[in-house]
Every structure is written in structure tokens, then in C-alpha cells.
């Protein structure tokens, strides 16, 4: 008995192995690309944090943007990236670009008083006192022990002409 497969069977086996190794190579490459994308996203996030912490606001913004646009960040990291990019816009004197980022961060973490406070500062800078007061009030409700939140709301009340409420906040 000849145990050697016929020529047609050998060709089919060779084709099958080529297909199998091709699929495995594609899958391995896809896993590698996924891992690289995750690494790149977190690398941009870390570069954004480093620039932000060094008060290099303009340098942090594109790094946060790349991290956000990667689609590879966890909800917490994405919230952080939006919040920090929003603050960086504000510190770079671009309050109009601050609002959408801080709004997104607040939507993702509605119990974080810092986001409301920071957006209140942006509204205050834009002289939109009613929205600033509303955000400061929310921040105070979330963290009533922060005297800074009362001081900023007091300033917004004073700027809007409501001196009695401004004094009440300043004297808390």
C-alpha cells in the first residue's frame, strides 16, 4: 500500500496550511496593531499630562486631542483627558473651546465638582454670569466644604450686580 496522498490532496493540504498561516499572521498583526494603538493613546495621554503639569498648556492640547481621538481610552481616562484639555484651553485663554470639553467631562462624571467649578470659571471669564453661578452652585452642592467655590460664586454674583448674595458667599 502506497500511503502517500495523491497530488490533488497534497496541493489542497498545502493551500490549507498557507491559508491557515495567513489567517494567523493577519490575526497576530491585528492584535499587534490594537496593542500599539492602545499604547499610542496612553503615550499621548501621558505626554499631555506631563505638559499640563509643567503648565505648558499649548503643548498639552494636541497630545490630549490625539489621545481622545484614538478611541482607545477608558471612560475614566477619557473624562480626564477632556477635563484637562478643557482647562488647558482656558489657561491658554481660549474659553470658548473650554466649554465643550468641560461639558463632555461633566456629562461623563456628573458627580465631579471640579469640572463644574472649572466650567464656571470659563463662563465667568466670558461674562456669562448666570451660567457661571449655576455651575458654581452645582460644584458647591457636590462639595460644600470648598471655600474656593463660594468665593468664585460670590465674585460672579458681585459681577452680575447681586451684592447681597456676593457678600453672603464671601462671608461663609
Amino acid at each position: 500500500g502506497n500511503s502517500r496522498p495523491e497530488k490533488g490532496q497534497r496541493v489542497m493540504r498545502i493551500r490549507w496550511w498557507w491559508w491557515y498561516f495567513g489567517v494567523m499572521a493577519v490575526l497576530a498583526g491585528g492584535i499587534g496593531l490594537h496593542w500599539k494603538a492602545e499604547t499610542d493613546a496612553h503615550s499621548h495621554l501621558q505626554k499631555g499630562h506631563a505638559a499640563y503639569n509643567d503648565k505648558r498648556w499649548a503643548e498639552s492640547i494636541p497630545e490630549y486631542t490625539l489621545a481622545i481621538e484614538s478611541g482607545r481610552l477608558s471612560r475614566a481616562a477619557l473624562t480626564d483627558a477632556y477635563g484637562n484639555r478643557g482647562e488647558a484651553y482656558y489657561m491658554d485663554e481660549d474659553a470658548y473651546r473650554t466649554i465643550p470639553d468641560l461639558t463632555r467631562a461633566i456629562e461623563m462624571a456628573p458627580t465631579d465638582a471640579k469640572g463644574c467649578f472649572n466650567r464656571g470659571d470659563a463662563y465667568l471669564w466670558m461674562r456669562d454670569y448666570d451660567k457661571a453661578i449655576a455651575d458654581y452652585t452645582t460644584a458647591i452642592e457636590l462639595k460644600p466644604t470648598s471655600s474656593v467655590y463660594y468665593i468664585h460664586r460670590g465674585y460672579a454674583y458681585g459681577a452680575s450686580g447681586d451684592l447681597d448674595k456676593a457678600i453672603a458667599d464671601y462671608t461663609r
Side-chain angles (χ1 to χ4, degrees), residues 1 16-17 31 34 45 48 62 66 90 93 102-103 106 114 116 121 132 134 144 150 153 158 161 164:
W16 186 88
W17 282 107
I31 292 167
H34 177 77
L45 185 64
L66 289 169
Y90 178 78
E93 299 182 5
L102 293 178
T103 299
I106 291 165
K114 182 181 173 191
C116 295
D121 278 350
Y150 287 99
R153 187 175 71 176
D164 290 335

Side-chain angles (χ1 to χ4, degrees), residues 74-97:
S74 68
R75 183 177 179 90
L78 188 60
T79 302
D80 193 35
Y82 274 115
N84 285 0
R85 186 175 72 173
E87 287 182 62
Y89 280 135
Y90 178 78
M91 298 306 290
D92 204 35
E93 299 182 5
D94 190 353
Y96 294 97
R97 293 176 82 183

Side-chain angles (χ1 to χ4, degrees), residues 21-134:
F21 285 122
V23 168
M24 291 299 114
V26 167
L27 289 176
I31 292 167
L33 291 174
H34 177 77
W35 181 81
K36 183 178 180 339
E38 290 244 348
T39 303
D40 288 349
H42 288 282
S43 174
H44 288 300
L45 185 64
Q46 293 309 314
K47 288 176 187 175
H49 287 332
Y52 178 88
N53 290 334
D54 289 342
K55 298 179 177 24
R56 293 179 284 122
W57 316 117
E59 290 177 41
S60 71
I61 291 167
E63 294 297 339
Y64 285 130
T65 300
L66 289 169
I68 290 167
E69 290 176 352
S70 74
R72 301 285 185 180
L73 297 178
S74 68
R75 183 177 179 90
L78 188 60
T79 302
D80 193 35
Y82 274 115
N84 285 0
R85 186 175 72 173
E87 287 182 62
Y89 280 135
Y90 178 78
M91 298 306 290
D92 204 35
E93 299 182 5
D94 190 353
Y96 294 97
R97 293 176 82 183
T98 296
I99 301 299
D101 275 5
L102 293 178
T103 299
R104 184 67 197 260
I106 291 165
E107 289 168 352
M108 295 175 78
T111 59
D112 181 22
K114 182 181 173 191
C116 295
F117 172 74
N118 289 334
R119 189 174 69 179
D121 278 350
Y123 282 130
L124 184 64
W125 188 80
M126 295 166 52
R127 294 185 172 91
D128 192 338
Y129 303 123
D130 290 337
K131 288 182 180 176
I133 290 166

